[in-house]
Amino acid sequence: MAASTCEGSVLVELAGIGAVLFDMDGTLVDSDAAVERAWERWAAEYAVDPAAALAIAHGSPADRTIRRVLPALDDSAVAAAAARQLSLQYDDLSDVTATPGAHELLNVLTRLGLPWAVVTSADARLAEARLGAAGIKPPVLVTVEDVRVGKPDPEGYLRGAALLGVPVARCLVVEDAEVGLRAGRAAGAMTAALKGLDGDLLLRDLAQLARLLESTPPAP
């Protein structure tokens, strides 16, 4: 779909939405600073340019990023490096909070009876820690441990839709990273993009989506 620029057409498209699938970091949870600190520490340990790692890390599974910045590593070394990278993030929660509008939007979804899930490139331990720090408890959580291939592969979003019992074509994927938007598009979902990225729906913040959903007439 082309990006929606007319509010009327946006409401028509949203009228068919049966569920919302959220990315976690940078979308529901403001953890960007923690993510960057962990990658910078990891890069120093592995003699990698931190800017090169950060340029491709956001929204991607750790092992995918590591394979790109350290292509000579074998599978076991990649797994060890990814485990180390995640370990640097587990306890770094001091400034992790919900993103602006996140709780407002989740309350709207509850009032409207729209199911939702979180689909993240983090593992379960990290996802539960960050969501807990933000005061968010998802009814369905899909982590990197639940899929064979992470974003930009659509498997995570397809799994999230299946667990909610909603056809993926009737799901709205909300993302703040291009790798996640690619996954949502590949799954066949409508996409909502934050941080100036391109999606079917362009969002300033999650409060905007809350207002749009509340203004959307029910599907006939």
Side-chain angles (χ1 to χ4, degrees):
M1 301 178 193
S4 300
T5 55
C6 171
E7 184 166 303
S9 66
V10 168
L11 297 183
V12 169
E13 291 182 72
L14 287 177
I17 293 300
V20 181
L21 305 174
F22 292 99
D23 173 51
M24 182 181 72
D25 291 310
T27 298
L28 274 183
V29 176
D30 184 356
S31 54
D32 287 356
V35 171
E36 291 176 6
R37 285 193 297 269
W39 276 110
E40 286 167 355
R41 288 183 59 191
W42 179 91
E45 291 181 12
Y46 281 81
V48 169
D49 177 6
L54 285 169
I56 58 174
H58 189 57
S60 296
D63 63 345
R64 182 173 182 269
T65 298
I66 289 164
R67 288 184 190 280
R68 293 179 65 185
V69 297
L70 293 173
L73 294 186
D74 61 22
D75 289 348
S76 62
V78 168
R84 174 56 181 159
Q85 203 285 327
L86 287 171
S87 74
L88 293 169
Q89 301 188 53
Y90 290 140
D91 299 321
D92 189 354
L93 303 171
S94 60
D95 54 0
V96 173
T97 61
T99 55
H103 286 292
E104 178 184 347
L105 174 55
L106 297 180
N107 289 336
V108 166
L109 295 181
T110 298
R111 289 198 298 273
L112 296 176
L114 281 174
W116 60 279
V118 171
V119 179
T120 176
S121 294
D123 66 5
R125 177 180 170 184
L126 182 59
E128 290 167 2
R130 284 191 176 148
L131 289 164
I136 295 171
K137 187 172 180 59
V140 170
L141 174 62
V142 179
T143 74
V144 71
E145 295 163 314
D146 298 315
V147 297
R148 293 166 299 173
V149 186
K151 301 173 186 178
D153 189 274
E155 183 181 356
Y157 283 121
L158 291 170
R159 181 174 176 83
L163 289 171
L164 293 177
V166 177
V168 73
R170 295 191 58 228
C171 290
L172 177 67
V173 165
V174 186
E175 274 277 359
D176 75 313
E178 180 56 35
V179 67
L181 290 166
R182 286 168 57 195
R185 287 190 289 266
M190 182 179 176
T191 58
L194 293 157
K195 298 183 179 176
L197 297 177
D198 189 24
D200 299 305
L201 177 59
L202 311 182
L203 297 177
R204 292 184 301 276
D205 54 33
L206 296 184
Q208 181 187 7
L209 180 56
R211 293 190 295 271
L212 286 170
L213 287 171
E214 284 200 301
S215 303
T216 301

